Amino acid sequence: MAFASKSPWVIHYDGSSCNGCDIEVLATLCPGFDGERFGVINTGNPKHADIFLVTGSINEQNIEVVRQIYDQMVEPKVVVACGICACTGGIFHDCYNVLGGVDKAIPVDVYAPGCAVRPEALIDAIVQGIAVLDEKSAALEQKKKEGVA
Amino acid sequence: MSKATIIPFGPQHPVLPEPLHLDLVVEDETVVEAIPQIGFVHRGLEKLVETRDYNQFIYVAERICGICAFGHSLGYAETVEALMGVEVPKRAEYLRVIWHEISRIHSHLLWLGLAADAFGFESLFMHCWRLRERVLDIFEKTTGGRVILSVVSVGGVNRDIDSTQMDEILHILDGIEDDYRQIMQVMLTDASVKNRTVGVGHISYEDAVSLCMVGPFARASNVAYDVRMFGHGGYGELSDFRPLCATEGDCYARVKVRCEEVLQSIAIVKEMAAKIPAGDIAVPVKGSPAAGAESANILEQPRGECYYYARGNGTKYLDRMRMRTPTSQNLAGMVSVLEGCDLADVNMIILTIDPCISCTER
Amino acid sequence: MFTSEFMPLALENVASEAAQRKSDGWRFVQLLAVADNTGSGDRDNAVDLVYSYMKDGRLENLVVKNVAVGEDEAKVDTVPSITDQYLSAFVFENEAHDLFGVHIANIAIDFAGHFYQVPVREPMTIISPEQKEAHERAAKMAAAKAAKEKAAAAGKTSGADAENAAKPAPKSDADIEAKLAGLPPEKAAKIRAAMEAKAAKEKAAQKGEAGNE
């Protein structure tokens, strides 16, 4: 395992969430649940981040913002859809301005449902995300080797 | 005179968990104009009232905002009750006040933490959120949820708090109060806090009145307005209530008002818990709102006055449900307070207004 | 205790009312629009506007009825902005424009239709099929109720005897129809089918009994 593996930095973006999942994302990283014990640090800069935590559904106006943040992140990267709205649109799925879950805009690796998503589920999702990150970095490594050879 | 430059702020910005975009027109380091751009969280949930009946919509209403979730379900229920002429049992009114005030404690602690984070006091942020977890424990014990509680129904509440649970709540609150007084001491006296807040983002009493500001933002400019003082619902049972105000009108005053409101809320919960009468917690609600019936209602949310409007059409589905949330009312105040401030103070000022974007855009 | 009242306001008085309220020290609470989807308004595409003001615990909601909206410039009503008096109204005026298509002139901070980005124009004025159905159902319910009351009144005038009154009245068709009108159509259809099946069964049973004798 080359780099990644243990300390993923996360970036959080609130799609069109009701705030419930956002504060749970923050609460996960705070005392009480202490997500930081996995080396997780919340960063505001997409270039620093390994895991993209998206809360809330995708709408007309934020779809470009979500894509832009995702594009700015460097490979390997993992997307976690936090909460049922980010997974499928949830209770708001039939609103006129909701396009659906985050997977309408960018590829999602881990889904963490719940309304609001519970911090335990989020920690689980982030740890799963670390595994995906490892896989992706190994694949990247392999590709590099093949390219050289 | 230097050239004006436009600096975009947000939507993804570390200071706010929520997306808010501002175009800041700056000359050197001074902001001359701030133009807000919202709509990133607009879902259009007011339209959902046509496909969810008035009992189901309560679950949509509390998902307008995950921080003021209880307040929105309460405001919505009160509006529909007014529309249909439903009389809520006394015990339910008391329980609603107790949960609403605990929500306020949770919201203010959350905000104090974010404010500490905004002026770079990370350990204070962690302490506030640690304390907030204990408030959420009360929610989890009494309702089963941490964020979305789903305890209000049209006609009352779904769950009772029995006397053993009530004693437990009071015990937890006593512990929180002790810890909180230490945090408050730091918040209000520490030099590093005062350096960032005193004299920053000043707004006068006259401006606060003419911009129709509400909530702690207005009360920090000495506008003595708090919907709770009208004694609506369970608040009428309080022996004494007066809005907490400050005269300075700057960021420090806004921190101070919210700090003191936490203690006020703890006192209200204690008083209500001591006085709560026995009885039913809900009345059965039958029928549907009459065609063309209208009702309007206001409620004090943690962020200020919230206005609700409902119109019936003779079926179980409402024609229109509208919430005017405190932040949308305060946007004009925010724009005018940002004019003339330093660029480095923008995040602090925005935070002390405590904007709730998902409330505003729905 | 605060009081909440609804009162009418003419469209031409919106601006003067705001100026008057401002000088009298009223606080502007909010502005909202309600799409008039009932079809009862005398215009096709109309909304009601509600301006709320508050002072000393009195919440007054001023309702402007039937404001024509839409894309047709010639047919719409132009509403004056009140942002010259109350700046905080700019949020609601932009919202009313974007979601309801209300034409508001001279908003202090005008987003010119870019306040919200939505996939359809004026989404809140679109009458959803569910809403249309709800209105039809409400009309049916009201009609059925009126018919029932009429029947009850007729029964009374003809002089119902004590014996009849003591017995629970058999469920009349009007009664059942009134209930069915309140249900979604697919559910009502199911109940109707079940009732017909039951009636057929009873008929068959009666026939069978008759045969046995």
Side-chain angles (χ1 to χ4, degrees):
Chain A
M1 225 52 74
F3 68 115
S5 198
K6 275 187 201 72
S7 304
W9 285 22
V10 299
I11 182 168
H12 162 236
Y13 183 72
D14 170 352
S16 59
S17 139
C18 72
N19 261 343
C21 295
D22 307 324
I23 52 172
E24 289 296 62
V25 167
L26 281 181
T28 307
L29 302 176
C30 282
F33 293 95
D34 195 18
E36 293 198 350
R37 77 191 117 126
F38 300 104
V40 176
I41 285 183
N42 190 13
T43 169
N45 187 336
K47 300 263 178 199
H48 292 177
D50 304 298
I51 300 184
F52 186 16
L53 305 174
V54 198
T55 53
S57 49
I58 293 298
N59 67 21
E60 285 292 306
Q61 196 163 343
N62 70 29
I63 186 161
E64 283 311 315
V65 182
V66 171
R67 281 200 183 125
Q68 202 180 5
I69 295 174
Y70 179 77
D71 290 343
Q72 282 181 32
M73 288 170 68
V74 287
E75 292 282 351
K77 53 193 169 189
V78 166
V79 177
V80 180
C82 311
I84 194 66
C85 291
C87 294
T88 64
I91 191 169
F92 302 119
H93 68 96
D94 53 353
C95 282
Y96 60 79
N97 206 28
V98 170
L99 298 176
V102 179
D103 44 15
K104 299 269 179 206
I106 52 174
V108 175
D109 298 290
V110 185
Y111 293 88
C115 184
V117 58
R118 291 193 63 94
E120 293 91 334
L122 266 177
I123 291 178
D124 210 29
I126 291 174
V127 172
Q128 278 188 36
I130 297 176
V132 179
L133 203 62
D134 284 346
E135 266 171 43
K136 283 191 174 179
S137 68
L140 219 62
E141 215 44 37
Q142 188 65 32
K143 225 175 164 183
K144 231 192 230 166
K145 266 187 202 157
E146 281 166 10
V148 170
Chain B
M1 197 70 199
S2 59
K3 217 174 79 190
T5 318
I6 296 180
I7 296 184
F9 177 97
Q12 194 267 329
H13 191 277
V15 73
L16 274 179
E18 290 184 279
L20 167 72
H21 179 82
L22 285 170
D23 284 322
L24 301 168
V25 184
V26 294
E27 274 171 11
D28 288 337
E29 285 291 304
T30 310
V31 178
V32 287
E33 202 187 353
I35 304 153
Q37 170 71 59
I38 63 171
F40 295 96
V41 196
H42 181 63
R43 291 153 284 184
L45 63 83
E46 284 177 356
K47 191 84 176 157
L48 280 186
V49 80
E50 294 163 9
T51 50
R52 312 276 196 277
D53 74 32
Y54 67 83
N55 284 319
Q56 293 167 335
F57 191 75
I58 208 154
Y59 302 106
V60 181
E62 63 184 345
R63 283 165 177 83
I64 293 167
C65 169
I67 304 176
C68 348
F70 184 85
H72 281 302
S73 58
L74 172 58
Y76 168 77
E78 280 183 355
T79 313
V80 176
E81 282 154 10
L83 204 60
M84 300 174 67
V86 176
E87 189 85 24
V88 179
K90 269 273 168 285
R91 188 175 176 86
E93 284 191 338
Y94 273 75
L95 289 171
R96 284 174 172 190
V97 169
I98 289 173
W99 273 312
H100 192 42
E101 289 305 320
I102 298 175
S103 298
R104 193 184 313 277
I105 299 170
H106 127 72
S107 172
H108 280 358
L109 278 174
L110 182 148
W111 177 83
L112 285 168
L114 289 180
D117 194 38
F119 51 66
F121 205 148
E122 182 105 12
S123 57
L124 192 56
F125 162 61
M126 291 290 183
H127 275 296
C128 289
W129 281 61
R130 172 181 60 82
L131 214 51
R132 184 181 155 265
E133 283 298 328
R134 285 159 71 181
V135 181
L136 295 190
D137 285 347
I138 300 180
F139 283 148
E140 210 167 348
K141 280 205 175 91
T142 53
T143 71
R146 276 166 57 86
V147 176
I148 306 284
L149 307 180
S150 302
V151 278
V152 182
S153 59
V154 176
V157 289
N158 293 338
R159 279 169 188 257
D160 204 351
I161 302 180
D162 61 24
S163 58
T164 29
Q165 261 186 340
M166 198 69 90
D167 291 340
E168 216 176 321
I169 292 177
L170 294 178
H171 181 69
I172 298 175
L173 274 182
D174 276 336
I176 291 173
E177 193 177 341
D178 288 345
D179 271 16
Y180 176 71
R181 280 186 191 277
Q182 288 178 23
I183 289 178
M184 190 171 147
Q185 174 79 9
V186 177
M187 270 283 177
L188 296 181
T189 56
D190 195 273
S192 61
V193 180
K194 281 189 153 181
N195 284 342
R196 284 301 302 273
T197 53
V198 174
V200 174
H202 178 264
I203 192 154
S204 68
Y205 171 81
E206 289 75 23
D207 285 347
V209 170
S210 81
L211 291 169
C212 307
M213 282 158 35
V214 293
F217 188 25
R219 288 196 285 278
S221 296
N222 210 16
V223 180
Y225 176 67
D226 186 322
V227 180
R228 290 178 286 175
M229 71 191 183
F230 296 127
H232 188 58
Y235 289 103
E237 315 290 333
L238 287 175
S239 57
D240 177 40
F241 181 86
R242 57 178 183 84
L244 293 172
C245 296
T247 50
E248 297 92 337
D250 55 3
C251 285
Y252 181 73
R254 302 198 265 278
V255 174
K256 196 167 84 180
V257 165
R258 290 199 181 87
C259 272
E260 284 167 358
E261 279 187 7
V262 173
L263 293 177
Q264 185 185 37
S265 292
I266 293 176
I268 292 176
V269 174
K270 283 183 179 165
E271 186 183 340
M272 292 312 250
K275 288 205 295 202
I276 190 165
D280 288 337
I281 54 164
V283 287
V285 178
K286 287 212 177 95
S288 32
E294 288 177 308
S295 74
N297 179 33
I298 50 172
L299 180 85
E300 186 75 13
Q301 295 269 19
R303 280 156 192 76
E305 174 210 72
C306 195
Y307 172 98
Y308 298 84
Y309 168 90
R311 185 190 273 190
N313 64 10
T315 64
K316 281 186 169 311
Y317 302 86
L318 298 173
D319 246 10
R320 177 88 165 105
M321 180 67 220
R322 151 85 173 178
M323 306 86 187
R324 196 279 289 142
T325 59
T327 309
S328 43
Q329 187 78 345
N330 283 339
L331 276 181
M334 181 176 91
V335 170
S336 68
V337 79
L338 282 174
E339 279 163 23
C341 78
D342 283 345
L343 182 61
D345 283 331
V346 168
N347 59 3
M348 192 66 226
I349 292 172
I350 289 178
L351 210 74
T352 53
I353 289 155
D354 201 1
C356 182
I357 310 300
S358 58
C359 277
T360 312
E361 300 172 6
R362 303 171 306 278
Chain C
M1 213 62 182
F2 64 87
T3 57
S4 162
E5 285 172 70
F6 285 88
M7 42 187 82
L9 176 71
L11 180 59
E12 55 270 21
N13 295 340
V14 166
S16 59
E17 182 77 29
Q20 185 62 41
R21 297 260 170 183
K22 175 94 178 179
S23 67
D24 291 349
W26 287 73
R27 187 172 59 85
F28 174 73
V29 177
Q30 62 89 36
L31 157 66
L32 69 89
V34 191
D36 189 2
N37 293 342
T38 51
S40 60
D42 44 4
R43 282 160 153 161
D44 299 339
N45 213 357
V47 301
D48 298 346
L49 295 177
V50 182
Y51 289 84
S52 302
Y53 296 94
M54 192 164 191
K55 189 185 178 184
D56 306 330
R58 283 164 57 91
L59 178 64
E60 297 195 354
N61 304 283
L62 309 172
V63 187
V64 185
K65 284 267 178 201
N66 263 319
V67 179
V69 297
E71 291 169 44
D72 194 346
E73 293 282 337
K75 279 190 195 162
V76 298
D77 287 326
T78 303
V79 182
S81 168
I82 59 164
T83 45
D84 54 340
Q85 303 294 336
Y86 295 101
L87 181 66
S88 55
F90 84 92
V91 182
F92 317 116
E93 291 184 346
N94 279 297
E95 188 177 297
H97 174 265
D98 284 14
L99 301 185
F100 289 88
V102 184
H103 279 239
I104 298 175
N106 304 326
I107 310 177
I109 305 175
D110 197 345
F111 288 83
H114 298 286
F115 195 60
Y116 289 130
Q117 262 181 37
V118 282
V120 279
R121 274 182 72 108
E122 294 130 30
M124 293 297 283
T125 53
I126 295 168
I127 304 176
S128 58
E130 289 90 353
Q131 199 180 21
K132 206 170 164 198
E133 191 194 302
H135 279 290
E136 279 164 9
R137 223 183 298 149
K140 261 192 215 159
M141 259 159 94
K145 203 178 167 195
K148 194 177 143 193
E149 268 164 14
K150 213 174 166 189
K156 253 182 202 161
T157 45
S158 67
D161 43 79
E163 200 188 334
N164 234 352
K167 262 193 233 165
K171 274 201 173 172
S172 67
D173 285 351
D175 224 17
I176 293 166
E177 274 306 311
K179 273 212 169 127
L180 285 180
L183 293 167
E186 61 270 25
K187 215 172 178 182
K190 259 189 206 162
I191 293 172
R192 279 211 184 90
M195 270 163 58
E196 271 163 25
K198 196 181 163 197
K201 222 178 174 183
E202 274 170 7
K203 234 182 183 175
Q206 273 172 8
K207 247 189 205 166
E209 272 169 27
N212 280 347
E213 277 171 18

